[in-house]
Amino acid sequence: MKAPSADLPTAGIDAARSRLAAFCDGPIFEYDTRRDRPAVDGTSRLSAHLRWGSIGVRTVVDAATEARADAPDEAAAQSCTEFLRQLAWRDFYTHLLATNPRIVTENYRDYSEPLDWRNDTEELAAWHRGETGYPIVDAGMRQLRTEAHMHNRVRMIVASFLTKDLRIDWRHGYAWFRDHLVDHDPANDAGGWQWAAGTGADAQPYFRVFNPMTQAQRHDPDAAYIRRYVPELADVSTETIHTWDSIDPETRAAAAPEYPAPIVDHATRREEAIAMFEAATATD
């Protein structure tokens, strides 16, 4: 695998303060409705600055609190509150790591039986390359390679896909994020991966498995994000992109001959993942 190469954001205190000021001057008031849309600039993009100390969390909290006080309406104020909640999650995971340093290498939750991860190397490699045949997963993985960043909603989608659809141990995903994210934070990344895998302190129920096609339709309805990072699909219709997993091979080949078919069937793998967790908890 080649060494990561990406276009990194401007670093330093001035860049961090400028980014915070721009965010609190408008985008924060729409954060609650735009933060899950990867095609738009709806998040603060302060995570790398918080990670590396070019801005402190108290400075961000103070600015967001001031913005909430000046919010033009209740919906805008609620968006500021939602942003503050996300900052609180960062602190939660920091405290979790401080009291449980093993969470970067071990499951937080103990199971009565070992989890039967498949850990297929070819499927892991396809996930690394962004060639799974699930457009929003591949867009996220390619954004990571080119920008050393991935939108937060898409991080959840690719993590669910790796751990549930491919049944690959979350530690493989954590290691990839550690090596490629400009904002890699051991606490937040371990917490997020264990949340997606169903092994963490606050993990989503193991039977909740993100459908990557549904997630794409909901959060990237125009497929703008997908087209930005998956050029093979740049001229493909939105309907075709959002039904890529279910259309026939001939239609796929005609629409985007260079883009792969799905490497797994989501419905089948979802059932297998649920069965894996049920077997691991059978005697709990």
Side-chain angles (χ1 to χ4, degrees), residues 41-273:
D41 188 17
T43 62
S44 73
R45 292 295 292 264
L46 288 167
S47 56
H49 295 293
L50 288 166
R51 166 65 179 92
W52 298 109
S54 48
I55 202 164
V57 69
R58 288 187 178 91
T59 300
V60 180
V61 168
D62 288 347
T65 302
E66 290 179 12
R68 182 170 61 183
D70 295 334
D73 53 46
E74 183 57 32
Q78 178 58 37
S79 281
C80 297
T81 298
E82 182 57 39
F83 177 70
L84 288 165
R85 286 197 185 104
Q86 296 306 310
L87 293 176
W89 275 113
R90 293 183 64 87
D91 274 2
F92 169 76
Y93 284 135
T94 298
H95 285 287
L96 187 65
L97 177 62
T99 56
N100 301 271
R102 65 185 180 86
I103 65 169
V104 297
T105 56
E106 300 177 24
N107 294 334
Y108 178 87
R109 177 180 175 182
D110 293 324
Y111 287 90
S112 57
E113 299 293 335
L115 290 167
D116 184 23
W117 301 112
R118 295 180 68 256
N119 291 335
D120 184 285
T121 57
E122 292 186 4
E123 291 179 0
L124 176 60
W127 182 83
H128 284 162
R129 295 192 304 269
E131 296 178 357
T132 68
Y134 282 89
I136 199 163
V137 173
D138 296 339
M141 298 305 294
R142 297 185 194 190
Q143 181 186 21
L144 179 60
R145 291 287 298 184
T146 58
E147 299 178 8
H149 173 80
M150 189 190 299
H151 187 277
N152 185 63
R153 166 57 59 172
V154 185
R155 294 188 197 200
M156 292 188 280
I157 296 170
V158 304
S160 178
F161 186 83
L162 184 75
T163 58
K164 304 296 178 57
D165 287 69
L166 303 186
R167 263 176 54 212
I168 291 175
D169 193 319
W170 64 267
R171 281 161 280 218
H172 289 284
Y174 172 84
W176 192 254
F177 274 25
R178 178 194 63 211
D179 291 345
H180 290 79
L181 280 173
V182 70
D183 63 352
H184 166 66
D185 179 279
N188 281 281
D189 281 349
W193 273 100
Q194 294 224 44
W195 177 86
T199 61
D202 65 316
Q204 64 175 338
Y206 67 81
F207 49 80
R208 184 185 178 202
V209 179
F210 280 11
N211 183 322
M213 303 306 296
T214 302
Q215 289 285 313
Q217 292 168 23
R218 183 177 301 152
H219 300 297
D220 189 30
D222 298 326
Y225 174 79
I226 290 169
R227 290 192 184 92
R228 184 183 305 165
Y229 295 103
V230 185
E232 303 97 306
L233 299 176
D235 298 321
V236 177
S237 72
T238 299
E239 180 181 2
T240 298
I241 291 173
H242 286 325
T243 56
W244 192 257
D245 65 326
S246 59
I247 58 178
D248 61 85
E250 292 76 16
T251 301
R252 286 196 201 105
E258 301 302 317
Y259 186 67
I263 61 173
V264 296
D265 176 69
H266 169 73
T268 300
R269 288 298 181 86
R270 177 184 181 277
E271 295 304 314
E272 291 177 359

